[in-house]
Amino acid sequence: FLDKYGVTAKALRFFALDEYSYTVPVNELLKYHAILAYRKNGKNLPVSDMGPYVVIFPRDEHPELPRAEINAKTVWMISEVKVVR
């Protein structure tokens, strides 16, 4: 997402359809290779399956990540992303 659109930011604030939002520092997104998913098994994610977009941190690859903290940063049903400079 960052590379594809040439985004330079200090953080990204993700807004969900259920009015939840969370700001994640870009350095954490890059460090843990978080992804902004929108497809699963070749199909767009429906809202019923956390879509249309979801931030996913690879917890299995980084067991050191505090579960409660990563749960807060794993935003789903994303409707908007704002760049924090």
Side-chain angles (χ1 to χ4, degrees), residues 28-84:
E28 286 185 36
L29 294 167
L30 296 173
K31 177 180 178 181
Y32 295 111
H33 304 283
I35 62 169
L36 181 62
Y38 64 96
R39 293 175 69 82
K40 181 178 179 181
N41 298 325
K43 297 185 179 183
N44 289 346
L45 286 171
V47 172
S48 61
D49 195 14
M50 301 195 300
Y53 299 94
V54 58
V55 174
I56 299 174
F57 284 83
R59 296 183 217 200
D60 294 342
E61 295 172 24
H62 299 282
E64 74 276 11
L65 292 171
R67 184 159 303 285
E69 185 178 318
I70 290 306
N71 284 346
K73 295 177 184 181
T74 303
V75 183
W76 56 85
M77 296 189 319
I78 295 171
S79 60
E80 184 178 355
V81 179
K82 286 192 177 179
V83 172
V84 178

Side-chain angles (χ1 to χ4, degrees), residues 2 7-12 24-32 84:
L2 297 170
V7 175
T8 55
K10 185 185 290 186
L12 296 177
V24 183
V26 167
N27 64 346
E28 286 185 36
L29 294 167
L30 296 173
K31 177 180 178 181
Y32 295 111
V84 178

